[in-house]
Amino acid sequence: MKSFRAATAASLLAACAGQTASAATGNVLFNGTITATCTITINSNGTMTVSANLQSLSSHNAGGSAGSAQVDTTGGVTLSVDPVTSTTVPASDTTATTWTPTFATSGAQTIAETGTATALTVPGTSTVAVNLDGTKSGSNRFSAGNYQATVTLRCE
Amino acid sequence: MRTIGTLAALAVALPPVAATGQSMTPMRGEVRSFTDAFAVRVFPGNPYDQRIRVEVHVYDQDFQPIDARITPSVFLLAGQASRPVLVVVPFDGASERKVRICTESIPFPSEQTQIRAQICGKFFGHRRS
């Protein structure tokens, strides 16, 4: 009797051995959308110095320094500077000044110095140098005192 | 009250992802509204370690200011933080309107040449009748 049971179990096992487990497979899809992002981090403001002929007050002049900012982006954005509208000048300066802001980038994307809006197409971190030139024409000169100007660096 | 509720619901319909270190997110969006205004919720972020003063402004395509309702429009934001800002833009009779919502800050004021950082998002509102 015992040997009969063993033989039955063995035959059942043998019958099942050739069967594969019934399994189904499916693909799980993952989608992700990254919209344009942009972060501006101002590292330092700039400094302007006056030229020998007193007709240029600029961060390009000797002793002056550009402002510095870091831009982190996915790309697909535009970097620009606005015309300068907000300035503080000494009371003794009553003549007109033409302000010209420019920027240049290095790092993930290199942009030569420009005042024109430029597309940032390369994702990553770029360092932006922001310069500002103030010029006077004719016989007009910069005078002693404190000058202050605000440059708007825009990423959109 | 009902209008505000609808606008808030529409604002939630945008997919904002508040992430630390972003100056403003989202930067693109399209909104459909059944009212005479559309709403956008943006998240200005402060990437610095210091607290900064943040202003939110709304401009048209020519960078002329738009009389939108911004809540809050000026606030102090802690370092590495972000917070939601609700912007409600009127259609002013138009069936669609393109606006820029800009987050602005001057992180280091009172220096000779200041840099104002401005992050602008472009948003397109459609009015459905």
Side-chain angles (χ1 to χ4, degrees):
Chain A
M1 190 60 180
K2 241 178 191 178
S3 62
F4 175 74
R5 281 184 186 165
T8 307
S11 63
L12 283 170
L13 278 171
C16 292
Q19 301 290 321
T20 55
S22 177
T25 60
N27 295 326
V28 179
L29 298 178
F30 290 84
N31 292 308
T33 303
I34 300 175
T35 57
T37 61
C38 187
T39 301
I40 298 177
T41 306
I42 308 297
N43 298 322
S44 62
N45 289 317
T47 307
M48 297 181 291
T49 55
V50 73
S51 63
N53 68 1
L54 306 180
Q55 286 197 300
S56 167
L57 180 66
S58 171
S59 55
H60 283 116
N61 290 338
S65 62
S68 172
Q70 178 180 306
V71 175
D72 298 285
T73 180
T74 55
V77 297
T78 302
L79 197 64
S80 61
V81 284
D82 264 2
V84 173
T85 55
S86 168
T87 58
T88 303
V89 302
S92 55
D93 185 346
T94 57
T95 59
T97 303
T98 301
W99 297 100
T100 307
T102 56
F103 69 94
T105 70
S106 58
Q109 184 169 340
T110 301
I111 301 172
E113 187 168 3
T114 181
T116 307
T118 305
L120 279 179
T121 56
V122 182
T125 301
S126 297
T127 300
V128 187
V130 180
N131 279 286
L132 182 61
D133 293 342
T135 55
K136 287 187 182 293
S137 57
S139 59
N140 298 334
R141 299 288 186 273
F142 284 99
S143 58
N146 294 323
Y147 287 82
Q148 188 180 66
T150 302
V151 175
T152 299
L153 178 64
R154 178 184 303 124
C155 186
E156 70 170 336
Chain B
M1 191 63 182
R2 195 173 178 182
T3 304
I4 291 171
T6 307
L7 291 172
L10 287 168
V12 171
L14 276 178
V17 181
T20 304
Q22 301 291 340
S23 284
M24 193 180 80
T25 185
M27 288 183 68
R28 305 284 184 269
E30 200 164 338
V31 183
R32 289 170 178 79
S33 173
F34 291 93
T35 69
D36 55 0
F38 66 97
V40 177
R41 178 169 284 138
V42 295
F43 290 79
N46 177 5
Y48 307 97
D49 291 328
Q50 68 188 62
R51 188 174 65 169
I52 60 171
R53 183 177 188 268
V54 175
E55 296 183 13
V56 177
H57 297 277
V58 182
Y59 303 99
D60 66 10
Q61 288 180 285
D62 302 316
F63 271 99
Q64 296 303 309
I66 286 178
D67 189 19
R69 198 163 74 240
I70 305 164
T71 313
S73 60
V74 181
F75 53 93
L76 293 173
L77 193 57
Q80 302 296 332
S82 71
R83 67 150 298 161
V85 172
L86 181 65
V87 179
V88 180
V89 182
F91 281 107
D92 283 345
S95 59
E96 57 186 30
R97 196 164 196 190
K98 289 180 180 176
V99 298
R100 286 180 169 91
I101 299 174
C102 299
T103 296
E104 302 175 7
S105 65
I106 302 177
F108 304 108
S110 305
E111 292 189 26
Q112 190 191 39
T113 308
Q114 302 175 140
I115 301 177
R116 174 189 288 121
Q118 186 183 60
I119 307 291
C120 294
K122 295 176 180 176
F123 298 91
F124 196 1
H126 302 271
R127 184 175 188 176
R128 292 291 178 88
S129 53

